[in-house]
């Protein structure tokens, strides 16, 4: 074999090695994408379950619907009322705003712990994205779920992003 043939064989081997590395990189990236998608699905399911649990609670500690009242009759400060409601145990909550500041962690076998945090605000009925300090007939709930497998959307190189779900709850 001549020098030219050896160079062609070496070039072919280098080209094959580059191709193998490229294929491995594509396979690795698709596995990471699949894992991230799975983590997003799990976080969304956990968040939606929390939103659903909140949405079936009463609107206010005193008024559970069915009666006409002025918005000023609702509790001015949002949060647990202290009447049998235990911090960290949402099974003891009886109205939507008890979830203000609620935090929980849910363990999964595949992704470890998902951390849930909730917030509740009164919002303007005419501009539901604007929070207000006064009582209204509408509250906004927000549930954020974080996990180490979720990518931060502002910087895809960083993990520990969050999935946030929101819902408006109306009294009437």
């Amino acid at each position: 074999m001549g020098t030219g043939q050896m160079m062609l064989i070496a070039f072919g081997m280098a080209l094959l090695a580059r191709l193998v590395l490229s294929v491995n990189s594509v396979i690795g990236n698709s596995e990471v994408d699949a894992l991230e998608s799975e983590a997003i699905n799990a976080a969304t399911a956990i968040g939606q379950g929390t939103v659903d649990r909140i949405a079936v609670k009463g609107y206010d500690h005193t008024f559970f619907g069915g009666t006409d009242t002025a918005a000023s009759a609702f509790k001015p400060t949002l949060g647990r009322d202290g009447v049998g409601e235990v911090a960290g145990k949402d099974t003891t909550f009886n109205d939507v705003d008890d979830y203000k500041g609620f935090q929980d962690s849910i363990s999964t076998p595949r992704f470890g712990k998902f951390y849930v945090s909730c917030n509740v605000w009164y919002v303007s009925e005419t501009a539901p994205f604007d929070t207000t300090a006064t009582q209204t007939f509408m509250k906004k709930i927000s549930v954020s779920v974080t996990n180490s497998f979720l990518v931060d959307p502002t910087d895809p190189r960083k993990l520990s992003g969050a999935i946030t779900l929101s819902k408006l709850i109306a009294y009437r």
Side-chain angles (χ1 to χ4, degrees):
M1 243 197 273
T3 307
Q5 289 175 330
M6 288 300 282
M7 287 180 67
L8 283 174
I9 290 173
F11 179 72
M13 295 281 289
L15 195 59
L16 181 63
R18 171 88 172 144
L19 179 66
V20 168
L21 288 174
S22 294
V23 168
N24 282 342
S25 175
V26 167
I27 290 171
N29 287 341
S30 66
E31 286 177 13
V32 167
D33 289 345
L35 240 139
E36 181 186 342
S37 293
E38 238 182 284
I40 289 169
N41 288 341
T44 303
I46 289 167
Q48 187 61 53
T50 305
V51 166
D52 291 345
R53 280 198 318 277
I54 297 171
V56 298
K57 303 289 184 181
Y59 184 80
D60 191 74
H61 179 72
T62 312
F63 302 95
F64 288 96
T67 59
D68 232 0
T69 188
S72 60
F74 297 134
K75 192 172 62 165
T77 55
L78 300 173
R80 288 180 293 113
D81 312 305
V83 184
E85 298 157 353
V86 180
K89 288 192 158 192
D90 66 336
T91 54
T92 64
F93 296 170
N94 64 356
D95 61 273
V96 170
D97 62 84
D98 292 341
Y99 282 87
K100 183 174 182 73
F102 174 72
Q103 294 184 334
D104 196 8
S105 64
I106 297 169
S107 294
T108 63
R110 186 151 169 90
F111 297 106
K113 286 191 178 189
F114 284 86
Y115 298 95
V116 179
S117 63
C118 304
N119 211 337
V120 181
W121 304 270
Y122 280 114
V123 293
S124 169
E125 291 178 66
T126 56
F129 295 106
D130 296 337
T131 61
T132 179
T134 59
Q135 303 96 306
T136 66
F137 288 102
M138 193 173 287
K139 293 177 183 173
K140 176 183 176 183
I141 57 172
S142 178
V143 176
S144 290
V145 182
T146 57
N147 178 274
S148 60
F149 283 90
L150 297 174
V151 174
D152 183 343
T154 60
D155 185 357
R157 295 169 294 166
K158 287 176 24 184
L159 295 177
S160 295
I163 300 291
T164 302
L165 294 96
S166 297
K167 183 173 183 141
L168 296 173
I169 306 290
Y171 178 72
R172 54 179 181 173

